[in-house]
Amino acid sequence: MNTQTTIPALLSDRLRAATHPTHEQLDQSIMAAKPFESVENYGRFLAVQHGIHRDVAPLYEQSDLAGLFPGLTGRCRLEAVGQDLADLGLKAPDYDEAPATASPEGLGVPEALGWLYVVEGSNLGAAFLLKYAKKMGLSEAHGARHLAEPPEGRAPYWKAFKETLNGVVLNEAEEVRAIAAAETAFARVQTLVRRHLG
Ligand code: HEM
């Protein structure tokens, strides 16, 4: 009997496996705060979303990443979250810190891949969140813009994103950095959850 744990062949699968427990924990802590029970609670969830999308926004402007992921700039959802807050008559949170991925030379590609994996992947789970938001009368045109499906559909977009991610050649040390960055990104969302939903 083979008792060895199989290491997935693709980086996207390794990222998924490495962050699975953290993602589970995050889902649970978000849902425990009942973000879809009232528009007031949902507003606090939007503050979390604003925080994480603000953290990654610099990556969507980084030229080396835009060269890897076609149309990356247009995928940034920070403006949509800002509009969602405005739809509900709410303001974006005040920040006394720089976005987590801001860096004068730009974030290293391995780290950027980890952060982008987390934030772009969250678009997949957003299908469920949009369904709940719609039950509260919100929609892709009001209050839940940032949860909208990408034009090509969630699954095709995610498949294409993962193909590009998996096509980037990383050595072992760089992969470790990418996975650590994905963990950092999830930990950052957890911090924002504690701040706004805790
Ligand atoms: C801002 C918070 C969140 C982040 C950053 C996030 C991140 C991610 C990532 C990276 C993936 C892709 C995993 C992969 O297949 O490699 C994913 C998928 C998924 N997420 Fe989340 N997630 C968040 C919140 C939630 C919440 C609150 C729920 C619901 C309880 C949820 C449910 C799901 C589900 C069901 C999938 C899989 C969808 C599918 O395979 O069709 N997520 N999320």
Side-chain angles (χ1 to χ4, degrees):
M1 195 173 81
N2 184 2
T3 53
Q4 274 185 330
T5 311
T6 314
I7 298 172
L10 298 172
L11 175 59
S12 60
D13 289 335
R14 288 199 284 276
L15 283 162
R16 184 175 202 273
T19 59
H20 184 69
T22 321
H23 181 243
E24 288 270 285
Q25 221 173 31
L26 177 68
D27 290 356
Q28 280 172 21
S29 51
I30 290 176
M31 297 317 270
K34 304 195 185 308
F36 302 100
E37 202 170 81
S38 67
V39 173
E40 198 190 339
N41 286 3
Y42 178 75
R44 288 199 280 271
F45 170 69
L46 280 182
V48 174
Q49 293 287 55
H50 192 274
I52 188 64
H53 286 284
R54 171 184 173 269
D55 276 328
V56 291
L59 300 180
Y60 294 82
E61 303 294 330
Q62 224 175 280
S63 55
D64 52 353
L65 300 173
L68 289 172
F69 296 93
L72 184 68
T73 311
R75 300 288 181 179
C76 181
R77 285 182 280 155
L78 179 59
E79 210 180 298
V81 186
Q83 284 174 356
D84 287 338
L85 283 161
D87 287 340
L88 304 184
L90 299 171
K91 282 203 187 122
D94 285 329
Y95 296 101
D96 55 9
E97 66 217 329
T101 69
S103 136
E105 318 80 48
L107 208 63
V109 168
E111 283 79 11
L113 294 179
W115 279 91
L116 283 178
Y117 162 79
V118 173
V119 172
E120 291 304 298
S122 74
N123 216 331
L124 205 59
F128 298 88
L129 308 188
L130 180 61
K131 225 186 286 176
Y132 300 139
K134 283 188 171 170
K135 287 192 182 148
M136 291 193 301
L138 304 177
S139 72
E140 297 94 327
H142 182 82
R145 299 166 196 264
H146 80 286
L147 299 174
E149 185 167 17
E152 64 272 64
R154 292 186 207 273
Y157 170 59
W158 186 231
K159 186 167 176 276
F161 177 87
K162 286 195 296 183
E163 272 168 15
T164 307
L165 176 85
N166 292 327
V168 182
V169 179
L170 297 181
N171 63 31
E172 220 172 290
E174 288 168 334
E175 260 208 43
V176 170
R177 285 162 57 194
I179 290 171
E183 287 288 9
T184 304
F186 269 116
R188 174 67 180 155
V189 183
Q190 193 69 68
T191 299
L192 292 163
V193 166
R194 274 194 297 271
R195 185 178 301 170
H196 298 291
L197 291 175

